[in-house]
Amino acid sequence: MNTIKSMDDFNHKIKKIIITEEEIKAAIQKAGADISRLYDGNPILLVGILKGSFVFLSDLSRAVNAPCEIGFMCAKSYYSETVSSGNVKITMDLEQDISKYHVVIAEDIVDTGRTLKEVVAILKARNPLSLQVVTLLDKPDRRLVDFKADVSLFTIPDFFVIGYGLDCAEYFRNLPYIAEYNTEN
Ligand code: IMP
Ligand code: MG
């Protein structure tokens, strides 16, 4: 349940902007140009992991100059402290048979690494032509499993962030920047 009831409550939770709209835009332009160059006109399937990646995917797709299909997956993690794998459930899957595609996964953040490690394993088992992971944010200090994105636009310290698709209790996804979340009441 969200305890935010007013604009004042909402603004109070935005502690500090750590990545501005302009910085995000510039990094995405560069990532899009790199992707366009890498695939050299070959069709790609850009896959967004919902919900967090919806803003990033939308901007990244428009920075890519290549024939490009869009797909979405929804992955939910169920973790206890003791079990470190096998706990990611795909609650919405791709429609495409990815054996015919160069797949580019767009993710909002790699935190413990557990979600993407398992999503990548699931997709690799379907034999795509190629697969790479592009993440907007990386929090390497929090990693619990061995996972590294192929491309990471920003590396951030270990604190909770909101905005640009990332939420806290479903709010703040619509902020146009990345901010540190204020954990104080
Ligand atoms: P994982 O721990 O790498 O499996 O990340 C799982 C998911 O947790 C990410 O895809 C995000 O949706 C969410 N997450 C991790 N860190 C943050 C954060 O700082 N802010 C908002 N969501 C986060
Ligand atoms: Mg996510």
Side-chain angles (χ1 to χ4, degrees), residues 8-146:
D8 281 348
D9 293 347
F10 185 81
N11 289 329
H12 176 66
K13 288 291 174 190
I14 304 167
K15 188 171 178 183
K16 189 174 136 209
I17 297 177
I18 60 164
I19 308 172
T20 66
E21 219 174 326
E22 291 70 31
E23 288 169 326
I24 296 171
K25 201 170 277 179
I28 291 181
Q29 284 309 318
K30 184 183 175 304
D34 289 347
I35 289 171
S36 312
R37 206 174 313 111
L38 181 68
Y39 295 96
D40 193 27
N42 288 302
I44 59 176
L45 174 63
L46 253 184
V47 175
I49 312 294
L50 293 175
K51 303 178 194 171
S53 72
F54 82 103
V55 183
F56 179 44
L57 180 81
S58 150
D59 284 346
L60 183 65
S61 66
R62 286 175 289 171
V64 168
N65 186 18
C68 174
E69 283 186 41
I70 305 292
F72 290 105
M73 290 177 87
C74 197
K76 290 255 180 298
S77 317
Y78 302 91
Y79 280 100
S80 67
E81 291 305 308
T82 47
V83 183
S84 65
S85 68
N87 291 293
V88 170
K89 201 166 154 194
I90 307 298
T91 56
M92 187 182 106
D93 208 339
L94 293 167
E95 295 163 352
Q96 293 89 347
D97 167 4
I98 64 168
S99 66
K100 297 177 176 61
Y101 291 88
H102 292 285
V103 174
V104 179
I105 299 178
E107 177 61 310
D108 54 352
I109 187 165
V110 183
D111 185 37
T112 65
R114 295 193 281 207
T115 308
L116 268 187
K117 190 177 172 120
E118 293 202 35
V119 167
V120 164
I122 289 165
L123 293 188
K124 276 194 174 158
R126 300 178 188 172
N127 296 313
L129 296 177
S130 69
L131 186 148
Q132 72 157 319
V133 174
V134 180
T135 186
L136 177 69
L137 305 175
D138 188 8
K139 266 200 262 185
D141 295 346
R142 292 256 311 163
R143 205 72 92 248
L144 291 176
V145 296
D146 182 26

